[in-house]
Amino acid sequence: MSRVTTDSQDHARIAEPAGGGAYDPIAEGYAAENEVSLLNAHYERPAVLELAGDVTGRRILDAGCGAGPLSAALRDRGAIVTGIDASVGMLEVARRRLGPDADLRVADLAEPLPFADAAFDDVVASLVLHYLRDWGPTLAELHRVLVPGGRLIATVEHPFALALIRRLAGEKANYFGVTERTEEWTMGGGSTRLTFWDRPLHAMTDAFTAAGFRIEVISEPPAVPGAPEMFPEDFATLSDTRFLGFLFFVLKAD
């Protein structure tokens, strides 16, 4: 797997699909990488499941479900899961994983969602919001489809890490602005260009509260136990199993 960074960063991060068919050319390779990578399989996904807690019987929307690993884990824990993604290719992989009866739908988070009000108890948005320039309409829709008191569990790329990487590369990092970043990813024999919108922490929290969410948790969790032994090179210069990777939010719909 290789990626060519065309804007301002080059670090080992696998994000969740969004943005139409941009992920279609790399769907198979991306899905395979996501299954084993440090940041996804041994850090982000386990931390989301820990924050979700007991999900038995809860109706959960996996917004930006990609190849479905989080949907599968939530379903295994007793949740009733609906997955949406803008990439048909990724949903094909998810269908193979989850079976023909899984509730999987093509939907763009930048557009109105095809669900009734209060249709879900929880929404998980795993590494998908950073594909959106404007969070307002999307967060309003996620709030609408949640029951009162329902939770949005969201993860994004850590803005401090993005700014640090740019500074270390000798660039002038505008941490306080909302900035566009484009990367070219090559994996599994396919290539694609992805666009991200980086924003500071205060812009994230302002958007959450403006949409009617109450912030309950902002977390920077460690990787799973055993990760340093599995990925010794990645942890060689770290003092423990925490690093600037992603930010984790648990938000309640008021």
Side-chain angles (χ1 to χ4, degrees):
M1 176 187 67
S2 63
R3 306 186 191 92
V4 177
T5 302
T6 57
D7 192 53
S8 54
Q9 78 165 351
D10 184 10
H11 68 295
R13 182 266 296 111
I14 299 294
E16 289 298 326
Y23 270 80
D24 290 351
I26 61 170
E28 297 288 347
Y30 168 83
E33 175 71 11
N34 187 278
E35 288 294 317
V36 298
S37 70
L38 166 61
L39 288 177
N40 291 105
H42 302 282
Y43 173 51
E44 194 264 352
R45 198 153 52 245
V48 168
L49 294 170
E50 179 71 19
L51 289 171
D54 183 4
V55 295
T56 303
R58 295 184 72 82
R59 300 166 300 161
I60 299 181
L61 175 64
D62 188 354
C65 65
L70 184 55
S71 289
L74 291 166
R75 190 176 68 176
D76 289 346
R77 287 162 172 76
I80 304 163
V81 182
T82 295
I84 61 172
D85 203 279
S87 167
V88 173
M90 295 302 296
L91 287 175
E92 289 175 352
V93 179
R95 180 75 64 187
R96 295 201 300 269
R97 173 199 293 272
L98 297 168
D101 295 332
D103 187 2
L104 298 172
R105 312 186 195 187
V106 178
D108 190 334
L109 284 175
E111 303 293 335
L113 297 176
F115 305 109
D117 295 356
F120 300 100
D121 301 300
D122 297 316
V123 173
V124 291
S126 170
L127 302 176
V128 69
L129 291 176
H130 46 229
Y131 292 99
L132 301 169
R133 181 174 186 172
D134 183 1
W135 284 16
T138 298
L139 292 176
E141 275 293 279
L142 296 180
H143 190 283
R144 179 186 67 79
V145 301
L146 279 167
V147 298
R151 299 178 301 171
L152 169 60
I153 302 171
T155 61
V156 296
E157 292 182 306
H158 203 304
F160 301 167
L162 296 173
L164 177 61
I165 288 166
R166 286 174 172 162
R167 289 184 182 275
L168 291 176
E171 301 176 18
K172 291 184 178 180
N174 180 17
Y175 168 79
F176 293 101
V178 177
T179 58
E180 183 179 8
R181 168 171 49 93
T182 301
E183 296 184 4
E184 183 175 327
W185 287 12
T186 299
M187 59 180 68
S191 296
T192 195
R193 290 173 63 85
L194 301 172
T195 297
F196 306 84
W197 293 92
D198 303 331
R199 70 199 68 221
L201 176 58
H202 77 266
M204 298 180 190
T205 57
D206 287 351
F208 291 141
T209 56
F213 288 100
R214 183 171 73 254
I215 300 171
E216 293 202 323
V217 176
I218 300 178
S219 179
E220 297 169 307
V224 299
E229 288 72 32
M230 289 184 282
F231 303 92
E233 292 185 2
D234 294 284
F235 287 91
T237 60
L238 300 177
S239 59
D240 62 19
T241 56
R242 295 179 188 270
F243 47 86
L244 287 178
F246 307 125
L247 271 181
F248 297 70
F249 297 91
V250 179
L251 312 157
K252 183 160 284 190
D254 288 334

